[in-house]
Short mmCIF file of all heavy atoms in Angstrom, two decimals:
data_model
loop_
_atom_site.label_atom_id
_atom_site.label_comp_id
_atom_site.label_asym_id
_atom_site.label_seq_id
_atom_site.Cartn_x
_atom_site.Cartn_y
_atom_site.Cartn_z
N SER A 238 -109.08 7.23 -108.64
CA SER A 238 -108.59 5.88 -108.83
C SER A 238 -107.29 5.67 -108.10
O SER A 238 -106.64 6.64 -107.68
CB SER A 238 -108.38 5.61 -110.34
OG SER A 238 -107.23 6.28 -110.81
N LEU A 239 -106.90 4.44 -107.96
CA LEU A 239 -105.63 4.12 -107.30
C LEU A 239 -104.43 4.71 -108.08
O LEU A 239 -103.40 5.02 -107.53
CB LEU A 239 -105.43 2.61 -107.16
CG LEU A 239 -106.32 1.92 -106.07
CD1 LEU A 239 -106.02 0.45 -106.04
CD2 LEU A 239 -106.07 2.55 -104.70
N SER A 240 -104.63 4.90 -109.37
CA SER A 240 -103.55 5.50 -110.21
C SER A 240 -103.55 7.02 -110.18
O SER A 240 -102.73 7.64 -110.84
CB SER A 240 -103.66 4.97 -111.64
OG SER A 240 -104.86 5.37 -112.22
N GLY A 241 -104.50 7.62 -109.42
CA GLY A 241 -104.51 9.07 -109.25
C GLY A 241 -105.46 9.81 -110.16
O GLY A 241 -105.59 11.04 -110.06
N GLU A 242 -106.13 9.15 -111.08
CA GLU A 242 -107.08 9.80 -111.97
C GLU A 242 -108.35 10.14 -111.19
O GLU A 242 -108.75 9.38 -110.31
CB GLU A 242 -107.45 8.94 -113.15
CG GLU A 242 -106.28 8.58 -114.06
CD GLU A 242 -106.65 7.53 -115.06
OE1 GLU A 242 -106.81 6.35 -114.64
OE2 GLU A 242 -106.76 7.89 -116.25
N THR A 243 -109.01 11.23 -111.56
CA THR A 243 -110.26 11.62 -110.93
C THR A 243 -111.37 11.45 -111.99
O THR A 243 -111.21 11.88 -113.15
CB THR A 243 -110.21 13.07 -110.46
OG1 THR A 243 -109.15 13.21 -109.49
CG2 THR A 243 -111.52 13.49 -109.79
N PHE A 244 -112.47 10.82 -111.59
CA PHE A 244 -113.59 10.60 -112.47
C PHE A 244 -114.87 11.19 -111.90
O PHE A 244 -115.16 11.01 -110.73
CB PHE A 244 -113.85 9.09 -112.71
CG PHE A 244 -112.69 8.39 -113.40
CD1 PHE A 244 -111.80 7.62 -112.64
CD2 PHE A 244 -112.51 8.50 -114.75
CE1 PHE A 244 -110.75 6.98 -113.25
CE2 PHE A 244 -111.47 7.84 -115.36
CZ PHE A 244 -110.59 7.07 -114.60
N LYS A 245 -115.61 11.88 -112.75
CA LYS A 245 -116.93 12.36 -112.41
C LYS A 245 -117.90 11.29 -112.91
O LYS A 245 -117.93 10.99 -114.10
CB LYS A 245 -117.19 13.71 -113.11
CG LYS A 245 -118.57 14.30 -112.91
CD LYS A 245 -118.63 15.61 -113.69
CE LYS A 245 -119.98 16.20 -113.70
NZ LYS A 245 -120.04 17.44 -114.51
N LEU A 246 -118.66 10.67 -111.98
CA LEU A 246 -119.56 9.59 -112.33
C LEU A 246 -120.99 10.05 -112.24
O LEU A 246 -121.42 10.69 -111.26
CB LEU A 246 -119.34 8.43 -111.36
CG LEU A 246 -117.92 7.86 -111.26
CD1 LEU A 246 -117.87 6.82 -110.20
CD2 LEU A 246 -117.47 7.32 -112.62
N SER A 247 -121.80 9.68 -113.18
CA SER A 247 -123.22 9.97 -113.18
C SER A 247 -123.89 8.71 -112.62
O SER A 247 -123.99 7.67 -113.30
CB SER A 247 -123.72 10.23 -114.61
OG SER A 247 -125.11 10.45 -114.60
N SER A 248 -124.33 8.78 -111.37
CA SER A 248 -124.86 7.59 -110.67
C SER A 248 -126.36 7.59 -110.59
O SER A 248 -126.97 8.64 -110.38
CB SER A 248 -124.26 7.54 -109.27
OG SER A 248 -122.86 7.40 -109.30
N SER A 249 -126.91 6.41 -110.77
CA SER A 249 -128.38 6.28 -110.68
C SER A 249 -128.80 6.22 -109.22
O SER A 249 -127.97 6.02 -108.34
CB SER A 249 -128.81 4.97 -111.40
OG SER A 249 -128.54 3.85 -110.60
N PRO A 250 -130.10 6.34 -108.97
CA PRO A 250 -130.56 6.28 -107.57
C PRO A 250 -130.24 4.98 -106.88
O PRO A 250 -130.08 4.92 -105.65
CB PRO A 250 -132.09 6.47 -107.69
CG PRO A 250 -132.30 7.12 -109.01
CD PRO A 250 -131.18 6.64 -109.87
N MET A 251 -130.11 3.90 -107.64
CA MET A 251 -129.85 2.59 -107.04
C MET A 251 -128.37 2.25 -106.90
O MET A 251 -128.00 1.18 -106.49
CB MET A 251 -130.58 1.50 -107.81
CG MET A 251 -132.07 1.63 -107.78
SD MET A 251 -132.60 1.46 -106.06
CE MET A 251 -134.15 2.27 -106.13
N GLN A 252 -127.48 3.21 -107.28
CA GLN A 252 -126.04 2.96 -107.15
C GLN A 252 -125.51 3.67 -105.93
O GLN A 252 -125.70 4.89 -105.78
CB GLN A 252 -125.30 3.48 -108.39
CG GLN A 252 -125.51 2.60 -109.62
CD GLN A 252 -124.79 3.17 -110.84
OE1 GLN A 252 -125.01 4.32 -111.20
NE2 GLN A 252 -123.98 2.35 -111.48
N SER A 253 -124.79 2.96 -105.08
CA SER A 253 -124.11 3.57 -103.95
C SER A 253 -122.84 4.23 -104.49
O SER A 253 -122.30 3.85 -105.53
CB SER A 253 -123.72 2.50 -102.92
OG SER A 253 -124.85 1.93 -102.32
N THR A 254 -122.34 5.19 -103.74
CA THR A 254 -121.05 5.79 -104.09
C THR A 254 -119.96 4.72 -104.05
O THR A 254 -119.89 3.95 -103.09
CB THR A 254 -120.70 6.93 -103.09
OG1 THR A 254 -121.74 7.89 -103.15
CG2 THR A 254 -119.36 7.57 -103.44
N PRO A 255 -119.17 4.59 -105.13
CA PRO A 255 -118.12 3.58 -105.14
C PRO A 255 -117.17 3.73 -103.95
O PRO A 255 -116.82 4.82 -103.54
CB PRO A 255 -117.39 3.82 -106.46
CG PRO A 255 -118.41 4.48 -107.33
CD PRO A 255 -119.22 5.34 -106.39
N ARG A 256 -116.78 2.61 -103.37
CA ARG A 256 -115.93 2.56 -102.21
C ARG A 256 -114.51 2.13 -102.60
O ARG A 256 -114.34 1.47 -103.64
CB ARG A 256 -116.49 1.59 -101.17
CG ARG A 256 -117.82 2.05 -100.68
CD ARG A 256 -118.28 1.24 -99.47
NE ARG A 256 -119.51 1.76 -98.96
CZ ARG A 256 -120.69 1.19 -99.07
NH1 ARG A 256 -120.78 0.01 -99.68
NH2 ARG A 256 -121.79 1.75 -98.56
N PRO A 257 -113.51 2.47 -101.77
CA PRO A 257 -112.16 2.01 -102.07
C PRO A 257 -112.07 0.51 -102.30
O PRO A 257 -112.70 -0.27 -101.59
CB PRO A 257 -111.38 2.44 -100.79
CG PRO A 257 -112.15 3.58 -100.25
CD PRO A 257 -113.58 3.26 -100.52
N GLY A 258 -111.37 0.16 -103.35
CA GLY A 258 -111.21 -1.24 -103.72
C GLY A 258 -112.23 -1.74 -104.75
O GLY A 258 -112.01 -2.81 -105.35
N TRP A 259 -113.25 -0.98 -104.99
CA TRP A 259 -114.23 -1.37 -106.00
C TRP A 259 -113.59 -1.19 -107.40
O TRP A 259 -112.90 -0.21 -107.64
CB TRP A 259 -115.48 -0.51 -105.96
CG TRP A 259 -116.44 -0.83 -104.85
CD1 TRP A 259 -116.16 -1.48 -103.67
CD2 TRP A 259 -117.81 -0.45 -104.77
NE1 TRP A 259 -117.26 -1.57 -102.88
CE2 TRP A 259 -118.29 -0.89 -103.55
CE3 TRP A 259 -118.63 0.25 -105.61
CZ2 TRP A 259 -119.60 -0.72 -103.12
CZ3 TRP A 259 -119.94 0.47 -105.20
CH2 TRP A 259 -120.43 -0.04 -103.99
N ILE A 260 -113.80 -2.14 -108.26
CA ILE A 260 -113.33 -2.07 -109.65
C ILE A 260 -114.55 -1.70 -110.47
O ILE A 260 -115.54 -2.41 -110.52
CB ILE A 260 -112.73 -3.40 -110.09
CG1 ILE A 260 -111.58 -3.76 -109.18
CG2 ILE A 260 -112.29 -3.27 -111.56
CD1 ILE A 260 -111.10 -5.20 -109.33
N ILE A 261 -114.48 -0.54 -111.11
CA ILE A 261 -115.64 -0.07 -111.89
C ILE A 261 -115.25 0.02 -113.38
O ILE A 261 -114.08 0.21 -113.71
CB ILE A 261 -116.16 1.30 -111.40
CG1 ILE A 261 -115.10 2.40 -111.46
CG2 ILE A 261 -116.67 1.18 -109.95
CD1 ILE A 261 -115.58 3.79 -111.21
N VAL A 262 -116.25 -0.13 -114.22
CA VAL A 262 -116.09 0.00 -115.67
C VAL A 262 -116.92 1.18 -116.08
O VAL A 262 -118.13 1.27 -115.77
CB VAL A 262 -116.56 -1.30 -116.39
CG1 VAL A 262 -116.48 -1.09 -117.91
CG2 VAL A 262 -115.72 -2.48 -115.99
N LEU A 263 -116.28 2.11 -116.79
CA LEU A 263 -117.00 3.28 -117.35
C LEU A 263 -117.72 2.80 -118.62
O LEU A 263 -117.07 2.25 -119.52
CB LEU A 263 -116.06 4.43 -117.60
CG LEU A 263 -115.19 4.87 -116.42
CD1 LEU A 263 -114.26 6.01 -116.83
CD2 LEU A 263 -116.05 5.24 -115.23
N THR A 264 -119.00 3.03 -118.70
CA THR A 264 -119.79 2.45 -119.81
C THR A 264 -120.30 3.48 -120.80
O THR A 264 -120.96 3.14 -121.77
CB THR A 264 -120.97 1.64 -119.27
OG1 THR A 264 -121.80 2.50 -118.46
CG2 THR A 264 -120.51 0.44 -118.44
N GLY A 265 -120.04 4.75 -120.55
CA GLY A 265 -120.49 5.80 -121.47
C GLY A 265 -120.34 7.15 -120.82
O GLY A 265 -119.86 7.27 -119.70
N GLY A 266 -120.73 8.17 -121.53
CA GLY A 266 -120.70 9.50 -120.98
C GLY A 266 -119.43 10.25 -121.36
O GLY A 266 -118.71 9.88 -122.27
N SER A 267 -119.18 11.36 -120.59
CA SER A 267 -118.05 12.20 -120.90
C SER A 267 -117.55 12.83 -119.61
O SER A 267 -118.22 12.80 -118.58
CB SER A 267 -118.44 13.30 -121.87
OG SER A 267 -119.33 14.21 -121.27
N GLU A 268 -116.38 13.47 -119.68
CA GLU A 268 -115.83 14.17 -118.49
C GLU A 268 -116.78 15.29 -118.07
O GLU A 268 -116.90 15.57 -116.90
CB GLU A 268 -114.44 14.73 -118.84
CG GLU A 268 -113.40 13.66 -118.94
CD GLU A 268 -112.03 14.22 -119.19
OE1 GLU A 268 -111.75 15.34 -118.70
OE2 GLU A 268 -111.23 13.54 -119.87
N GLN A 269 -117.40 15.99 -119.02
CA GLN A 269 -118.26 17.11 -118.72
C GLN A 269 -119.56 16.66 -118.08
O GLN A 269 -119.99 17.22 -117.08
CB GLN A 269 -118.55 17.95 -119.98
CG GLN A 269 -117.38 18.70 -120.53
CD GLN A 269 -116.42 17.80 -121.28
OE1 GLN A 269 -116.83 16.77 -121.85
NE2 GLN A 269 -115.16 18.17 -121.31
N GLU A 270 -120.22 15.69 -118.68
CA GLU A 270 -121.54 15.21 -118.21
C GLU A 270 -121.43 14.22 -117.07
O GLU A 270 -122.38 14.02 -116.32
CB GLU A 270 -122.31 14.57 -119.37
CG GLU A 270 -122.58 15.51 -120.51
CD GLU A 270 -123.57 16.56 -120.13
OE1 GLU A 270 -124.57 16.28 -119.41
OE2 GLU A 270 -123.36 17.73 -120.54
N GLY A 271 -120.31 13.54 -116.97
CA GLY A 271 -120.15 12.43 -116.01
C GLY A 271 -120.26 11.11 -116.76
O GLY A 271 -120.99 10.98 -117.72
N PHE A 272 -119.51 10.15 -116.26
CA PHE A 272 -119.52 8.82 -116.91
C PHE A 272 -120.54 7.93 -116.25
O PHE A 272 -120.67 7.91 -115.02
CB PHE A 272 -118.16 8.17 -116.78
CG PHE A 272 -117.06 8.86 -117.53
CD1 PHE A 272 -116.17 9.70 -116.92
CD2 PHE A 272 -116.89 8.63 -118.89
CE1 PHE A 272 -115.17 10.35 -117.60
CE2 PHE A 272 -115.90 9.27 -119.62
CZ PHE A 272 -115.02 10.12 -118.97
N SER A 273 -121.27 7.15 -117.06
CA SER A 273 -122.10 6.07 -116.51
C SER A 273 -121.10 4.93 -116.15
O SER A 273 -120.03 4.85 -116.75
CB SER A 273 -123.14 5.61 -117.49
OG SER A 273 -122.60 5.28 -118.71
N TRP A 274 -121.48 4.10 -115.19
CA TRP A 274 -120.55 3.09 -114.72
C TRP A 274 -121.27 1.87 -114.18
O TRP A 274 -122.46 1.93 -113.90
CB TRP A 274 -119.63 3.68 -113.66
CG TRP A 274 -120.37 4.11 -112.38
CD1 TRP A 274 -121.02 5.30 -112.23
CD2 TRP A 274 -120.51 3.37 -111.20
NE1 TRP A 274 -121.57 5.32 -110.98
CE2 TRP A 274 -121.31 4.17 -110.32
CE3 TRP A 274 -120.09 2.12 -110.77
CZ2 TRP A 274 -121.65 3.73 -109.02
CZ3 TRP A 274 -120.42 1.71 -109.50
CH2 TRP A 274 -121.21 2.52 -108.65
N THR A 275 -120.52 0.80 -114.07
CA THR A 275 -121.04 -0.42 -113.45
C THR A 275 -119.94 -1.03 -112.60
O THR A 275 -118.77 -0.87 -112.88
CB THR A 275 -121.54 -1.42 -114.52
OG1 THR A 275 -122.26 -2.48 -113.88
CG2 THR A 275 -120.43 -1.97 -115.34
N LEU A 276 -120.37 -1.70 -111.57
CA LEU A 276 -119.42 -2.41 -110.68
C LEU A 276 -118.96 -3.69 -111.36
O LEU A 276 -119.78 -4.50 -111.81
CB LEU A 276 -120.11 -2.71 -109.36
CG LEU A 276 -119.26 -3.52 -108.34
CD1 LEU A 276 -118.07 -2.73 -107.89
CD2 LEU A 276 -120.11 -3.91 -107.16
N TYR A 277 -117.65 -3.84 -111.48
CA TYR A 277 -117.07 -5.03 -112.14
C TYR A 277 -116.61 -6.03 -111.08
O TYR A 277 -116.71 -7.23 -111.30
CB TYR A 277 -115.94 -4.61 -113.02
CG TYR A 277 -115.24 -5.75 -113.74
CD1 TYR A 277 -115.89 -6.39 -114.82
CD2 TYR A 277 -114.02 -6.21 -113.31
CE1 TYR A 277 -115.26 -7.44 -115.45
CE2 TYR A 277 -113.41 -7.28 -113.98
CZ TYR A 277 -114.03 -7.89 -115.04
OH TYR A 277 -113.42 -8.93 -115.64
N GLY A 278 -116.10 -5.55 -109.97
CA GLY A 278 -115.56 -6.45 -108.95
C GLY A 278 -115.08 -5.68 -107.76
O GLY A 278 -115.13 -4.44 -107.73
N ILE A 279 -114.54 -6.40 -106.79
CA ILE A 279 -114.00 -5.80 -105.57
C ILE A 279 -112.61 -6.39 -105.36
O ILE A 279 -112.44 -7.60 -105.28
CB ILE A 279 -114.92 -6.04 -104.36
CG1 ILE A 279 -116.29 -5.41 -104.61
CG2 ILE A 279 -114.31 -5.46 -103.08
CD1 ILE A 279 -117.33 -5.69 -103.54
N SER A 280 -111.63 -5.50 -105.22
CA SER A 280 -110.26 -5.92 -105.05
C SER A 280 -110.13 -6.64 -103.69
O SER A 280 -110.64 -6.21 -102.68
CB SER A 280 -109.31 -4.71 -105.09
OG SER A 280 -108.04 -5.05 -104.69
#
């Protein structure tokens, strides 16, 4: 993240790897398994 945090994301086949400036919302999961996520917006 821009604040320096690192996130392990569990991405579906239809999700592209998040790009710089994308605003994502973590919707579930854990640090160990990976977080599910959705795109919220683009900076």
Side-chain angles (χ1 to χ4, degrees):
S238 72
L239 288 180
S240 62
E242 298 171 288
T243 301
F244 297 101
K245 177 180 172 183
L246 305 175
S247 178
S248 297
S249 78
M251 295 299 158
Q252 287 177 306
S253 294
T254 300
R256 295 191 176 108
W259 285 19
I260 302 166
I261 60 172
V262 175
L263 306 179
T264 58
S267 67
E268 289 182 32
Q269 290 78 27
E270 298 292 319
F272 293 101
S273 53
W274 63 279
T275 189
L276 177 64
Y277 180 74
I279 299 174
S280 172

